[in-house]
Amino acid sequence: MGKYHGQANTILRPRTTEQVSEIVKYCADRRIGVVPQGGNTGLVGGSISLQKEVVLNLGAMSNVRSFDPVSGILVADAGCILQSLSDYLSPHDHIMPLDLGAKGSCQIGGNISTNAGGLRLLRYGSLHGSVLGLEVVLPDGTILDQLSTLRKDNTGYDLKQLFIGAEGTLGIVTGVSIVTPPAPRATNNVFLALPHFDNVLPLYQAVKTQLGEIMSAFEYVDRTAYDMALSHGLGSVLDANEVGDAQCFVLVETSGGNEDHDLEKLNTLLESLMTADEPLIYTGTLSQSPGQFEALWAMRERLTEFIQKEGKPYKYDVSVPLANFQSVVDAVRERMIAKGLYGDHAVSKVMGYGHVGDGNLHLNVVAKHGYSPEIEAALEPFIYELIASQKGSVSAEHGIGSMKTHALRYSKSDTSIEWMRKIKQVFDPHNIMNPGKVLI
Ligand code: FAD
Ligand code: 2HG
Ligand code: ZN
């Protein structure tokens, strides 16, 4: 995003867990701060050194340790890139239980540390469920070996859960044991244009009912985001005349066991949506080839990349009731208009997209000529108060990092924050592990 600028003058790339342990012990003894870093794709400034802390990058620890094709359990170094793990699993007919646009750079250790959600959460659940065990170097250098491959293990407190989503503030994840699902035999997708936002909820219900267990993603793109994608050269996946004044778009993916059966279900679904008395969609495209399948996904997956090219993004990754996706985006746009900040001189676009199935909206506000205190003051705390008034979350999946430390209180009670501090104190009494992130 070009928003955060690291201050580190030392970056270390250990090759083994023992080296990580020695480095951390050395730093702990001298009270030197350590910033764990994976692929550096996080969107909340979590992996950068704010005050010359040492950056410890896991990129040189990138070996698969074991894979059991019967149980689907994969054990890997934390520095393995998500895409490499998918490639590794492919000949074994398995897939990673998570997928995100940053897959070519982000590391599994970074995914676990941010508790990344992404495009498959709807189907395979969160990392809190699929991670079976972790190996972690604690802030005093001790190696905590909890690299279990057991599906069931109720022997007291489940410590590994604390490190999932801790954003490197409790220790450095060096190894991961994770359950991977079998690769689906058939995968298809459709991209749909909807007349109104009001159609999204009934559509979601209809799709869930008709597709049942084969639905694997249900993603939302608003009109502004769709038009932006086209303006960045993506070929239209829908007939422009049929799209007309559609307010928003939905991408549905299916992953099932039988191509003919899945296609039949999808075709029946499309037909019923178009021929209903009040059609829920204007039009839709069902992918007919692997290339078209990718093209439909690109309309959703590449939005982050296009936004970078439009200007500087203010990103709000929020959980709100599904019915409020559009009204949250509209409220922010209206506020920018009221403040005289909407237009090519300041905020050129306000848009929403996200993971409908997870109630996770990505609200993006594009500052055409760069970040400015005036725009920020108009956005915050306005947005955080709006989300809190809906009992939402100010960080659905990207984490708190250094961006949202001040906003944590909008989604966590004082008591919760107090207990988070106590946990931090137990693990990291000298506050050397990723200082200035999550809790300040
Ligand atoms: P980094 O960015 O390097 O680090 C992120 C945080 O984790 C930092 O606090 C860091 O200190 C800590 N950390 C990293 N590695 C370790 C480790 N081994 N041990 C302890 N702490 C560690 N997120 C989603 O949830 N869903 C999405 O769909 C999604 N899509 C994205 C699409 C794009 C194009 C981009 C750029 C980002 C996207 N993200 C998404 C953001 C997301 O959080 C990450 O991309 C990813 O999970 C971060 O992994 P990373 O290896 O890059 O971690
Ligand atoms: C996504 O779902 C990512 O595409 C990034 O979480 C969201 O660009 C964003 O705001
Ligand atoms: Zn997302």
Side-chain angles (χ1 to χ4, degrees), residues 39 82 111 117 133 137 190 215 240 247 252 292 433 439:
L82 182 58
N111 300 147
V137 172
V190 286
M215 178 173 82
Q247 268 190 5
V252 180
Q292 203 178 15
M433 202 46 78
L439 292 166

Side-chain angles (χ1 to χ4, degrees), residues 43 300 304 315 353 355 362 364 397-398:
L43 296 170
R300 166 63 186 87
T304 306
K315 288 188 173 290
Y353 48 93
H355 316 287
H362 292 304
N364 274 257
E397 59 171 8
H398 295 164

Side-chain angles (χ1 to χ4, degrees), residues 278-328:
E278 277 190 46
L280 291 175
I281 60 172
Y282 276 155
T283 183
T285 295
L286 170 59
S287 63
Q288 305 291 337
S289 65
Q292 203 178 15
F293 178 84
E294 295 303 331
L296 298 196
W297 261 119
M299 290 299 298
R300 166 63 186 87
E301 263 192 316
R302 295 187 63 189
L303 295 173
T304 306
E305 174 195 334
F306 297 141
I307 286 175
Q308 318 281 107
K309 295 180 182 159
E310 292 269 325
K312 292 292 182 192
Y314 288 92
K315 288 188 173 290
Y316 298 96
D317 154 46
V318 298
S319 280
V320 283
L322 201 46
N324 302 355
F325 268 36
Q326 181 74 49
S327 63
V328 166

Side-chain angles (χ1 to χ4, degrees), residues 34-38 42-48 109-116 161-173 317 395-405 408 420 424 428 433-439:
V34 179
V35 178
Q37 189 179 74
L43 296 170
V44 289
S47 56
I48 47 116
N111 300 147
I112 283 163
S113 301
T114 53
N115 188 23
Q161 299 294 353
L162 281 174
F163 302 97
I164 302 174
E167 300 180 56
T169 59
L170 298 180
I172 300 180
V173 176
D317 154 46
S395 182
E397 59 171 8
H398 295 164
I400 296 294
S402 53
M403 174 188 172
K404 295 184 185 170
T405 48
L408 189 58
M420 283 169 67
K424 170 76 174 168
D428 186 19
M433 202 46 78
N434 215 0
K437 317 292 164 53
V438 185
L439 292 166

